[in-house]
Structure formats: structure tokens, C-alpha cells
């Protein structure tokens, strides 16, 4: 603590940073909890012949947040894999990712570094249909790339290592970057994949559509079933809650430490003021006693006992016998600081 009981700059920065991190974590936790509550309260609808009737009875022919499970089926043409034969899908993502080692000048270690140098995503319209078939009810999936968890399966992956000459190796060590190679990946949402869709379900003319909700809730297209998806979100909520509590306790500990320091400083100042007040009152009592004679004959050390010692060789009469005994060695006169060779007792008659 600095003068006046104020916290130091480092302590103030520590408290501010801890408070800011706690507030940020709490904000993330609130957002995750809101998503989990919304997902738990989503209306589960079945992909069957009654779905159209349910939407007709709903306000605005819309269920704001609904859960529906079905199987992927393309509307027109399908997308074919560029590397795997007879692999058909409705979403295709091709990625080229660079892998290299980068020298860290702080830790003096080589660290892995990955960078996407090219990515292309192709889509084609698709529906969700009942897994058992037969009912003939379909749900058109809108804006699948906006989904928070679009489940794409990796159907092809190949790593192309970089070819380096001796001169290249020397240059890489000098520059601090060592390329490892290029990874080529193809991911697809295949036809026939079972999906759980969570979003706004609306009846638009004769077409039932699943689209991103308007209330700010997340849009899901996941290969997990609804219970597993809900458990995943609840686990995320617990993680952020624990993290928030840990940093919250740390913030409270820092705040308690600073307040305790300030309280102790306040007590010390209060005790000092009390001692000064007692000393002032003692002086007033001595001044008022016998017209000031008591203060005139009082020991200059304790101001309570009468002077009873003559210090030689200086000759000062300024202390009582008890205060003389308490003087540190070598004993010196409190008035002139001259060494005391002997003491003669003074008796007042």
C-alpha cells in the first residue's frame, strides 16, 4: 500500500484486470446459459404427416425455435467428391492448409504454425426427409452454412510434404520459418446423413422451411441427436460457470487483501490520533496543576513524574530516576546529549 492507505499501481492494475476477466467470463457464461435454456425449451416436432397441420395452427404458420430430425436428401443434382468415387453430398468443402515451423525468439523453440491458404465451399439445395420414409413430408434446409455446428465428414485427406534442398534448409534457419508441407482436405455432408436441425420452422406456401431463427438463438445442423446436443451445450455452460467462479473468487481475494490493508492502515492512524490526544490531555492536566509548577518540575521524558536526578558533569536536572534507568547505554543527557559520568539524587523538601 502506498501513502495514505491507497493501493499501489500494480495492485490497482491486478484488481482491474481480475475484475475485467471475471466480467468477461460471466458474460460468456450468461450467453451459454441462455443458449442452453433456449435449446432445452425448443419445441420438438416430428417429421410426419401431422407437421403441416401443426404449422397451420401455429401463429404466423411459424414455430420460432423447433427441433426436427431427418435424413439428408438432395433436391436436384448432388455434388460428387473430387477424390472418392461414388461419394455424393449436398455440401462440399475443399481446403488447402499450410503447415510450417516458426522460430519463437522469446522461448527459443520451434512452434507449429497452420494457415489456410485456400478454401472453397460448394452447396446444393437439400431437404430433410423421414428416416423411415413413406410419409412424403420434406423440410427444405435454408442457409446451411450459417449453422453453428454443420457436421461435415472428412472423406479425403492427404499431406504433401515440402521438398527442400540444403540451401533451402540454411535459408529457413536464417529466416526462422521451416515449411513442412501442404495438407489437402475434402469434407462433405453426404446424402443419407442423419441430421438434427434446430431453428425456425415456417410454412411458406406449400414448402416447409428450416431457417436461422430471428430471436438471436443459434442455428444447428448437427449429426448428434438432440439429447447429445443438449448435453454438449450444458457441459459448455458448466465449464464457463466454473471458470467464472474461479476468477470471481480470485477477484474477491485480491479485493479482500486490499481492504484488509486499508483497514489496518486506518486502525494505525486511529491509534496514533488517540495517543496524540492522550498526550495533549496529559499536557493540559500538568499545565493546570498548581499554576504550571507541576509541568515545570516534571520529567522531560515521561512528563508525569517529578525531576529527581542531577546529571554530571553537565548539571542538568531533567529526569526522574525511572527514566534515567531506561536511558540507553552509553547514557547521555536528554537536554544537551553530553555523556553522564555520575548521577546525584535530588530531594525536594
Amino acid at each position: 500500500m502506498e501513502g495514505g492507505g491507497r493501493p499501489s499501481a500494480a495492485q490497482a492494475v491486478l484488481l482491474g484486470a481480475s475484475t475485467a476477466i471475471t466480467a468477461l467470463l460471466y458474460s460468456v457464461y450468461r450467453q451459454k446459459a441462455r443458449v442452453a435454456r433456449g435449446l432445452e425449451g425448443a419445441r420438438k416436432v416430428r417429421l410426419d404427416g401431422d407437421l403441416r397441420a401443426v404449422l397451420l395452427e401455429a401463429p404466423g404458420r411459424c414455430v420460432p425455435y423447433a427441433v426436427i430430425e431427418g435424413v439428408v436428401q438432395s433436391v436436384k443434382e448432388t455434388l460428387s467428391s473430387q477424390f472418392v468415387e461414388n461419394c455424393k453430398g449436398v455440401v462440399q468443402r475443399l481446403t488447402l492448409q499450410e503447415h510450417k515451423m516458426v522460430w519463437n525468439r522469446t522461448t527459443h523453440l520451434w512452434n507449429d504454425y497452420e494457415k489456410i491458404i485456400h478454401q472453397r465451399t460448394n452447396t446444393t439445395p437439400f431437404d430433410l426427409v423421414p428416416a423411415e420414409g413413406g410419409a412424403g413430408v420434406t423440410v427444405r434446409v435454408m442457409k446451411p452454412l450459417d449453422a453453428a455446428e454443420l457436421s461435415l465428414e472428412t472423406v479425403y485427406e492427404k499431406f504433401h510434404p515440402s521438398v527442400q534442398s540444403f540451401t533451402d534448409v540454411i535459408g529457413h534457419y536464417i529466416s526462422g520459418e521451416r515449411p513442412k508441407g501442404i495438407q489437402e482436405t475434402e469434407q462433405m455432408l453426404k446424402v443419407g446423413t442423419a441430421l438434427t436441425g434446430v431453428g425456425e420452422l415456417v410454412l411458406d406456401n406449400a414448402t416447409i422451411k428450416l431457417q436461422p431463427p430471428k430471436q438471436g438463438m443459434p442455428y444447428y445442423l448437427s449429426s448428434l441427436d438432440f439429447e447429445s446436443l443438449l448435453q454438449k451445450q450444458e457441459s459448455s455452460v458448466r465449464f464457463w460457470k466454473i471458470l467464472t467462479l474461479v476468477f470471481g473468487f480470485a477477484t474477491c481475494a485480491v479485493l479482500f487483501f486490499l481492504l484488509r490493508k486499508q483497514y489496518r492502515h486506518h486502525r494505525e492512524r486511529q491509534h496514533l490520533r488517540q495517543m496524540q490526544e492522550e498526550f495533549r490531555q496529559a499536557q493540559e492536566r500538568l499545565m493546570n496543576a498548581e499554576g504550571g509548577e507541576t509541568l515545570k518540575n516534571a520529567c522531560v521524558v515521561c512528563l508525569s513524574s517529578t525531576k529527581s536526578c542531577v546529571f554530571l558533569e553537565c548539571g542538568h536536572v531533567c529526569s526522574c530516576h525511572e527514566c534515567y534507568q531506561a536511558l540507553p547505554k552509553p547514557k547521555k543527557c536528554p537536554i544537551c546529549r553530553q555523556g553522564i559520568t555520575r548521577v546525584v539524587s535530588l530531594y525536594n523538601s
Side-chain angles (χ1 to χ4, degrees):
M1 304 291 285
E2 293 180 344
R6 294 185 301 271
S8 65
Q11 292 171 340
V13 169
L14 178 61
L15 179 61
S18 180
T19 303
I21 293 175
T22 303
L24 179 62
L25 293 175
Y26 180 71
S27 176
V28 175
Y29 160 70
R30 286 285 302 272
Q31 173 65 19
K32 297 289 184 181
R34 186 179 72 88
V35 170
R37 287 195 301 269
L39 192 60
E40 187 175 5
R43 182 176 178 179
K44 298 180 183 179
V45 295
R46 293 180 57 84
L47 192 55
D48 54 20
D50 297 331
L51 179 58
R52 190 176 300 274
V54 170
L55 291 173
L56 286 172
E57 295 176 358
R61 298 185 176 184
C62 171
V63 178
Y65 209 45
V67 180
I68 192 165
E69 297 178 349
V71 175
V72 173
Q73 175 181 283
S74 61
V75 176
K76 296 179 181 178
E77 71 281 353
T78 57
L79 300 174
S80 300
S81 170
Q82 294 187 5
F83 305 98
V84 182
E85 294 183 0
N86 299 323
C87 183
K88 304 290 184 179
V90 293
V91 179
Q92 179 188 49
R93 179 171 292 163
L94 300 170
T95 306
L96 290 178
Q97 190 173 40
E98 178 186 15
H99 292 258
K100 61 182 178 181
M101 304 287 287
V102 177
W103 177 255
N104 190 317
R105 300 183 186 277
T106 303
T107 61
H108 300 285
L109 295 173
W110 289 95
N111 298 327
D112 289 323
Y113 177 79
E114 300 175 356
K115 178 183 178 182
I116 295 178
I117 56 179
H118 179 72
Q119 188 175 76
R120 185 176 80 250
T121 303
N122 303 318
T123 63
T124 187
F126 67 94
D127 294 336
L128 290 181
V129 300
E132 63 277 2
V137 179
T138 62
V139 174
R140 180 68 49 84
V141 177
M142 310 300 294
K143 300 181 180 180
L145 299 183
D146 291 348
E149 294 190 15
L150 180 58
S151 298
L152 299 180
E153 179 184 350
T154 301
V155 297
Y156 176 81
E157 187 174 26
K158 186 175 182 180
F159 184 77
H160 304 277
S162 60
V163 179
Q164 305 175 20
S165 64
F166 179 75
T167 306
D168 294 334
V169 173
I170 298 299
H172 296 154
Y173 271 97
I174 295 174
S175 65
E177 293 186 1
R178 293 163 49 190
K180 297 170 63 177
I182 303 295
Q183 183 172 348
E184 189 175 18
T185 306
E186 182 182 26
Q187 296 173 297
M188 296 190 72
L189 178 59
K190 292 199 254 183
V191 174
T193 302
L195 280 186
T196 299
V198 184
E200 184 182 69
L201 202 61
V202 59
L203 178 61
D204 185 6
N205 296 327
T207 305
I208 302 175
K209 297 180 179 180
L210 179 68
Q211 58 191 18
K214 296 183 177 64
Q215 296 85 357
M217 297 298 292
Y219 181 38
Y220 292 102
L221 290 174
S222 176
S223 59
L224 299 174
D225 59 82
F226 177 70
E227 295 300 328
S228 300
L229 184 62
L230 182 59
Q231 290 177 5
K232 182 179 179 180
Q233 296 302 318
E234 290 175 345
S235 298
S236 177
V237 171
R238 285 193 295 269
F239 169 78
W240 286 102
K241 182 178 181 180
I242 292 173
L243 207 58
T244 302
L245 289 175
V246 169
F247 275 87
F249 281 128
T251 302
C252 292
V254 174
L255 182 61
F256 173 77
F257 171 77
L258 296 180
L259 292 177
R260 180 172 175 270
K261 285 285 187 180
Q262 194 165 6
Y263 173 73
R264 291 179 61 183
H265 178 79
H266 174 72
R267 289 292 300 273
E268 290 174 0
R269 292 184 60 185
Q270 189 177 25
H271 181 65
L272 179 60
R273 286 196 297 268
Q274 183 178 357
M275 292 180 61
Q276 291 174 342
E277 180 65 21
E278 291 177 355
F279 181 74
R280 185 185 63 80
Q281 293 176 359
Q283 283 184 321
E284 291 179 352
R285 286 195 300 269
L286 291 174
M287 286 291 292
N288 295 331
E290 298 181 0
E293 288 297 322
T294 303
L295 179 61
K296 182 178 179 181
N297 295 324
C299 170
V300 299
V301 180
C302 65
L303 295 177
S304 58
S305 301
T306 306
K307 300 173 184 177
S308 60
C309 297
V310 180
F311 296 149
L312 300 175
E313 301 293 332
C314 67
H316 283 121
V317 181
C318 59
S319 170
C320 63
H321 185 72
E322 288 78 6
C323 291
Y324 163 72
Q325 294 291 339
L327 290 175
K329 295 182 180 180
K331 298 182 182 296
K332 295 182 180 180
C333 174
I335 302 298
C336 63
R337 307 305 296 166
Q338 183 177 341
I340 302 174
T341 58
R342 63 194 182 97
V343 178
V344 176
S345 299
L346 181 67
Y347 300 98
N348 296 319
S349 59

